[in-house]
């Protein structure tokens, strides 16, 4: 699998990245064995970039990912986690965490904290859960309502940690394109993890973020290429951005699928390949929770996609005429 250097850093990422929210029991439980099998399948498929966060399953994702990767050489994979939410013991510890999307006991509560002290504390906790002595990439995680503190306190602390060798690279991970663009302009970021804003259905990242990232040599990791499910399986009841897809978007996704199938290409393959048309994109991150899902993602990324497909989508108005598209993959 192709490797790309992450911006101006020395961190390397594979074209396909393993998103570990699923093995943190996102929505439904996954066993320890299933989580390990998913990570092993990713490794066997050539994936060497793994992404997690304290938020995912109240630390369960980090612990499982660290356990599963322990049998592999540390210098052969890249791991990223995130800062901005500290985990504190819950007063009662009763109930579950499904209100936040994870099928785990509510043993802890999340506390937003983008202070310098909070960032250092978060990294130390993540290192303990992962069982590592360094983290390759640390992302500022969803600082939508904490932009100033993230910019003036959290980011400088990540720079200090990078200088100390605790981190290899610094990024920001969000479901919007506007604030990451500001961080590119005002900081020395290495990467942006952009979720759901550069896909076959949503190209908002192209307005400013992607051209700016290319200009400043900041790598972009694209998440959410299936827009939470609609581009994986467009059918009534499918979700877009974790809510029921509007009728017009569902219709558009069905049309995308029909055109792809005329060219002998599964819609999932086109969705995974599309972001690589832009030169700033270094990796596509897919959330997977089973060995089968991992293998399918790897197979779809490697599926041949003819240049004629992109031209057809543009001619039919399903992609903007000026959007960059990948070269044919064989």
């Amino acid at each position: 699998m192709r490797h790309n250097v992450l911006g101006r850093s020395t961190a390397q990422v594979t074209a396909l990245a393993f998103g570990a929210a699923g093995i943190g029991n996102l929505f439904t439980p996954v066993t320890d064995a299933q989580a390990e099998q998913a990570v092993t399948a990713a490794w066997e498929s050539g994936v060497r970039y793994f992404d997690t966060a304290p938020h995912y399953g109240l630390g369960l994702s980090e612990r499982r990912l660290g356990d599963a990767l322990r049998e592999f050489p540390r210098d052969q994979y890249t791991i990223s986690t995130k800062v901005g939410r500290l985990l504190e013991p819950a007063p009662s510890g009763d109930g579950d965490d499904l209100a936040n999307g994870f099928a785990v006991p509510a043993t802890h509560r999340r506390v937003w904290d983008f202070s310098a002290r909070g960032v250092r504390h978060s990294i130390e906790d993540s290192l303990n859960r992962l069982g590592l002595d360094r983290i390759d990439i640390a992302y500022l995680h969803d600082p939508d309502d904490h932009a100033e503190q993230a910019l003036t306190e959290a980011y400088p602390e990540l720079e200090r940690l990078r200088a100390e060798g605790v981190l290899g690279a610094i990024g920001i991970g969000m479901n919007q394109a506007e604030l990451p663009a500001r961080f590119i302009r005002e900081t020395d970021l290495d990467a942006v993890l952009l979720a759901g804003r550069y896909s076959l259905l949503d190209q908002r990242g192209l307005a400013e973020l992607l051209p700016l990232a290319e200009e400043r040599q900041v790598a972009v990791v694209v998440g959410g290429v299936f827009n939470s499910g609609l581009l994986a399986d467009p059918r009534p009841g499918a979700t877009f951005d974790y809510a029921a897809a509007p009728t017009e978007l569902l219709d558009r996704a069905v049309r995308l699928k029909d055109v792809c199938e005329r060219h002998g290409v599964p819609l999932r393959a086109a969705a995974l390949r599309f972001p690589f048309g832009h030169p700033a994109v270094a990796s596509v991150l897919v959330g997977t929770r089973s060995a089968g899902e991992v293998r399918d993602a790897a197979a779809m990324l490697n599926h041949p996609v003819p240049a004629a497909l992109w031209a057809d989508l543009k001619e039919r108005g399903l992609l903007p005429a000026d959007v960059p598209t990948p070269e044919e993959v064989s």
Side-chain angles (χ1 to χ4, degrees), residues 112-196:
W112 288 103
D113 193 337
F114 285 94
S115 69
R117 181 178 180 181
V119 163
R120 189 167 286 266
H121 185 185
S122 181
I123 291 295
E124 290 171 353
D125 286 348
S126 289
L127 288 170
N128 287 332
R129 285 189 290 265
L130 289 163
L132 299 175
D133 60 1
R134 74 180 191 279
I135 290 167
D136 300 298
I137 309 162
Y139 291 107
L140 296 157
H141 197 187
D142 297 334
D144 303 72
D145 299 324
H146 309 271
E148 296 309 317
Q149 189 180 39
L151 190 63
T152 61
E153 298 182 41
Y155 174 78
E157 187 66 15
L158 290 177
E159 277 203 333
R160 285 187 282 272
L161 288 163
R162 181 171 60 183
E164 293 168 17
V166 178
L167 307 178
I170 301 171
I172 185 170
M174 302 192 73
N175 295 293
Q176 58 151 295
E178 294 75 21
L179 188 56
R182 178 186 173 188
F183 271 77
I184 292 176
R185 289 192 300 268
E186 298 183 21
T187 71
D188 190 28
L189 281 182
D190 299 297
V192 171
L193 172 49
L194 181 65

